Amino acid sequence: RATSPPLACVSPPGPRNLSCISYKHPSVRGGLGGAGRGAAGAVRCPPGQCCIGIWNRSHALVQGCWGGGGAACPSPTCIPSPAGPPGGAVLVCLCHGHLCNGNATGTGMGTAVGLGEP
């Protein structure tokens, strides 16, 4: 007699097998999941996580995996929006496309912003 698999076998919601650009500017203290130091590279995120990118107006500050996943990361591309106080210089994006946090659209900064230095 066939039975259904237990619900515990169901994968968590959100992206699976997602790779994100991993980078951490030398001026940034602390950590973020999957954020590397110095040179940009790629990291595979745990299931359910998505990519994050944080920039100031001239260069990438942190790029890596973020645990929000699901509805918190609705876009497959990185479309930065202002973060912090109004008029501040920090932009952030959450996205669920393969290496999506390496390309910031709508900033005038070009592509692969984490790969260059200020």
Side-chain angles (χ1 to χ4, degrees):
R1 186 173 173 194
T3 60
S4 299
L7 291 178
C9 293
V10 175
S11 297
R16 289 161 189 78
N17 299 317
L18 179 66
S19 291
C20 300
I21 296 294
S22 172
Y23 173 77
K24 183 172 153 183
H25 192 272
S27 67
V28 176
R29 295 183 187 167
L32 181 69
R37 288 193 162 270
V43 63
R44 185 159 310 265
C45 299
Q49 292 193 358
C50 61
C51 300
I52 187 170
I54 303 171
W55 295 268
N56 66 18
R57 299 278 181 200
S58 64
H59 62 272
L61 297 172
V62 176
Q63 292 163 291
C65 299
W66 186 71
C73 304
S75 177
T77 60
C78 177
I79 303 170
S81 59
V90 176
L91 301 171
V92 65
C93 81
L94 297 168
C95 53
H96 66 265
H98 181 67
L99 301 174
C100 62
N101 64 335
N103 291 332
T105 59
T107 63
M109 296 170 61
T111 60
V113 293
L115 302 178
E117 286 295 315

PDB file of all heavy atoms in Angstrom, residues 26-44:
ATOM      1  N   PRO A  26      36.999  46.305   2.053  1.00  0.00           N
ATOM      2  CA  PRO A  26      37.861  46.344   3.244  1.00  0.00           C
ATOM      3  C   PRO A  26      37.386  47.300   4.345  1.00  0.00           C
ATOM      4  O   PRO A  26      37.702  47.104   5.510  1.00  0.00           O
ATOM      5  CB  PRO A  26      39.222  46.803   2.697  1.00  0.00           C
ATOM      6  CG  PRO A  26      39.184  46.430   1.250  1.00  0.00           C
ATOM      7  CD  PRO A  26      37.743  46.524   0.822  1.00  0.00           C
ATOM      8  N   SER A  27      36.602  48.310   3.997  1.00  0.00           N
ATOM      9  CA  SER A  27      36.135  49.270   5.003  1.00  0.00           C
ATOM     10  C   SER A  27      34.963  48.741   5.828  1.00  0.00           C
ATOM     11  O   SER A  27      34.589  49.354   6.822  1.00  0.00           O
ATOM     12  CB  SER A  27      35.711  50.578   4.331  1.00  0.00           C
ATOM     13  OG  SER A  27      34.559  50.367   3.532  1.00  0.00           O
ATOM     14  N   VAL A  28      34.374  47.610   5.437  1.00  0.00           N
ATOM     15  CA  VAL A  28      33.191  47.079   6.102  1.00  0.00           C
ATOM     16  C   VAL A  28      33.590  46.146   7.234  1.00  0.00           C
ATOM     17  O   VAL A  28      34.375  45.221   7.041  1.00  0.00           O
ATOM     18  CB  VAL A  28      32.275  46.338   5.101  1.00  0.00           C
ATOM     19  CG1 VAL A  28      31.091  45.703   5.804  1.00  0.00           C
ATOM     20  CG2 VAL A  28      31.817  47.300   4.015  1.00  0.00           C
ATOM     21  N   ARG A  29      33.038  46.395   8.422  1.00  0.00           N
ATOM     22  CA  ARG A  29      33.264  45.522   9.575  1.00  0.00           C
ATOM     23  C   ARG A  29      32.104  44.563   9.714  1.00  0.00           C
ATOM     24  O   ARG A  29      31.020  44.809   9.205  1.00  0.00           O
ATOM     25  CB  ARG A  29      33.390  46.338  10.853  1.00  0.00           C
ATOM     26  CG  ARG A  29      34.579  47.229  10.862  1.00  0.00           C
ATOM     27  CD  ARG A  29      34.674  47.944  12.180  1.00  0.00           C
ATOM     28  NE  ARG A  29      35.727  48.938  12.121  1.00  0.00           N
ATOM     29  CZ  ARG A  29      35.910  49.873  12.991  1.00  0.00           C
ATOM     30  NH1 ARG A  29      35.099  49.970  14.029  1.00  0.00           N
ATOM     31  NH2 ARG A  29      36.883  50.731  12.873  1.00  0.00           N
ATOM     32  N   GLY A  30      32.296  43.491  10.458  1.00  0.00           N
ATOM     33  CA  GLY A  30      31.218  42.525  10.664  1.00  0.00           C
ATOM     34  C   GLY A  30      31.096  41.603   9.469  1.00  0.00           C
ATOM     35  O   GLY A  30      31.938  41.579   8.588  1.00  0.00           O
ATOM     36  N   GLY A  31      30.028  40.832   9.447  1.00  0.00           N
ATOM     37  CA  GLY A  31      29.889  39.865   8.381  1.00  0.00           C
ATOM     38  C   GLY A  31      28.473  39.749   7.876  1.00  0.00           C
ATOM     39  O   GLY A  31      27.532  40.235   8.478  1.00  0.00           O
ATOM     40  N   LEU A  32      28.351  39.094   6.757  1.00  0.00           N
ATOM     41  CA  LEU A  32      27.077  38.775   6.147  1.00  0.00           C
ATOM     42  C   LEU A  32      27.248  37.400   5.548  1.00  0.00           C
ATOM     43  O   LEU A  32      28.311  37.104   5.001  1.00  0.00           O
ATOM     44  CB  LEU A  32      26.741  39.792   5.049  1.00  0.00           C
ATOM     45  CG  LEU A  32      25.422  39.612   4.323  1.00  0.00           C
ATOM     46  CD1 LEU A  32      24.263  39.914   5.277  1.00  0.00           C
ATOM     47  CD2 LEU A  32      25.349  40.534   3.126  1.00  0.00           C
ATOM     48  N   GLY A  33      26.247  36.555   5.646  1.00  0.00           N
ATOM     49  CA  GLY A  33      26.365  35.195   5.146  1.00  0.00           C
ATOM     50  C   GLY A  33      26.879  35.136   3.728  1.00  0.00           C
ATOM     51  O   GLY A  33      26.341  35.769   2.847  1.00  0.00           O
ATOM     52  N   GLY A  34      27.961  34.423   3.515  1.00  0.00           N
ATOM     53  CA  GLY A  34      28.505  34.239   2.188  1.00  0.00           C
ATOM     54  C   GLY A  34      29.303  35.416   1.662  1.00  0.00           C
ATOM     55  O   GLY A  34      29.759  35.381   0.532  1.00  0.00           O
ATOM     56  N   ALA A  35      29.503  36.467   2.438  1.00  0.00           N
ATOM     57  CA  ALA A  35      30.261  37.613   1.946  1.00  0.00           C
ATOM     58  C   ALA A  35      31.747  37.356   2.133  1.00  0.00           C
ATOM     59  O   ALA A  35      32.207  37.088   3.227  1.00  0.00           O
ATOM     60  CB  ALA A  35      29.859  38.890   2.689  1.00  0.00           C
ATOM     61  N   GLY A  36      32.462  37.421   1.029  1.00  0.00           N
ATOM     62  CA  GLY A  36      33.903  37.199   1.074  1.00  0.00           C
ATOM     63  C   GLY A  36      34.652  38.476   1.366  1.00  0.00           C
ATOM     64  O   GLY A  36      34.079  39.536   1.512  1.00  0.00           O
ATOM     65  N   ARG A  37      35.956  38.380   1.456  1.00  0.00           N
ATOM     66  CA  ARG A  37      36.806  39.550   1.687  1.00  0.00           C
ATOM     67  C   ARG A  37      37.579  39.847   0.419  1.00  0.00           C
ATOM     68  O   ARG A  37      37.944  38.946  -0.308  1.00  0.00           O
ATOM     69  CB  ARG A  37      37.804  39.282   2.814  1.00  0.00           C
ATOM     70  CG  ARG A  37      37.166  39.247   4.168  1.00  0.00           C
ATOM     71  CD  ARG A  37      38.287  39.301   5.208  1.00  0.00           C
ATOM     72  NE  ARG A  37      37.744  39.698   6.463  1.00  0.00           N
ATOM     73  CZ  ARG A  37      37.650  40.960   6.872  1.00  0.00           C
ATOM     74  NH1 ARG A  37      38.080  41.923   6.116  1.00  0.00           N
ATOM     75  NH2 ARG A  37      37.137  41.253   8.030  1.00  0.00           N
ATOM     76  N   GLY A  38      37.847  41.123   0.186  1.00  0.00           N
ATOM     77  CA  GLY A  38      38.704  41.509  -0.917  1.00  0.00           C
ATOM     78  C   GLY A  38      38.107  41.206  -2.277  1.00  0.00           C
ATOM     79  O   GLY A  38      37.057  41.709  -2.610  1.00  0.00           O
ATOM     80  N   ALA A  39      38.797  40.371  -3.054  1.00  0.00           N
ATOM     81  CA  ALA A  39      38.382  40.079  -4.424  1.00  0.00           C
ATOM     82  C   ALA A  39      37.008  39.417  -4.469  1.00  0.00           C
ATOM     83  O   ALA A  39      36.689  38.570  -3.638  1.00  0.00           O
ATOM     84  CB  ALA A  39      39.413  39.183  -5.089  1.00  0.00           C
ATOM     85  N   ALA A  40      36.229  39.815  -5.450  1.00  0.00           N
ATOM     86  CA  ALA A  40      34.892  39.234  -5.613  1.00  0.00           C
ATOM     87  C   ALA A  40      35.004  37.820  -6.159  1.00  0.00           C
ATOM     88  O   ALA A  40      35.898  37.497  -6.919  1.00  0.00           O
ATOM     89  CB  ALA A  40      34.059  40.100  -6.550  1.00  0.00           C
ATOM     90  N   GLY A  41      34.083  36.995  -5.753  1.00  0.00           N
ATOM     91  CA  GLY A  41      33.996  35.630  -6.229  1.00  0.00           C
ATOM     92  C   GLY A  41      32.542  35.220  -6.209  1.00  0.00           C
ATOM     93  O   GLY A  41      31.650  36.052  -6.103  1.00  0.00           O
ATOM     94  N   ALA A  42      32.292  33.935  -6.298  1.00  0.00           N
ATOM     95  CA  ALA A  42      30.918  33.433  -6.249  1.00  0.00           C
ATOM     96  C   ALA A  42      30.797  32.447  -5.095  1.00  0.00           C
ATOM     97  O   ALA A  42      31.763  31.781  -4.725  1.00  0.00           O
ATOM     98  CB  ALA A  42      30.544  32.760  -7.564  1.00  0.00           C
ATOM     99  N   VAL A  43      29.615  32.390  -4.512  1.00  0.00           N
ATOM    100  CA  VAL A  43      29.335  31.475  -3.415  1.00  0.00           C
ATOM    101  C   VAL A  43      27.969  30.842  -3.658  1.00  0.00           C
ATOM    102  O   VAL A  43      27.068  31.496  -4.177  1.00  0.00           O
ATOM    103  CB  VAL A  43      29.390  32.208  -2.047  1.00  0.00           C
ATOM    104  CG1 VAL A  43      28.334  33.280  -1.953  1.00  0.00           C
ATOM    105  CG2 VAL A  43      29.291  31.246  -0.896  1.00  0.00           C
ATOM    106  N   ARG A  44      27.825  29.564  -3.302  1.00  0.00           N
ATOM    107  CA  ARG A  44      26.519  28.902  -3.402  1.00  0.00           C
ATOM    108  C   ARG A  44      25.804  29.108  -2.078  1.00  0.00           C
ATOM    109  O   ARG A  44      26.337  28.820  -1.020  1.00  0.00           O
ATOM    110  CB  ARG A  44      26.686  27.418  -3.700  1.00  0.00           C
ATOM    111  CG  ARG A  44      25.325  26.762  -3.924  1.00  0.00           C
ATOM    112  CD  ARG A  44      25.387  25.473  -4.686  1.00  0.00           C
ATOM    113  NE  ARG A  44      26.132  25.519  -5.912  1.00  0.00           N
ATOM    114  CZ  ARG A  44      25.605  25.727  -7.125  1.00  0.00           C
ATOM    115  NH1 ARG A  44      24.325  25.940  -7.246  1.00  0.00           N
ATOM    116  NH2 ARG A  44      26.352  25.711  -8.185  1.00  0.00           N
TER     117      ARG A  44
END
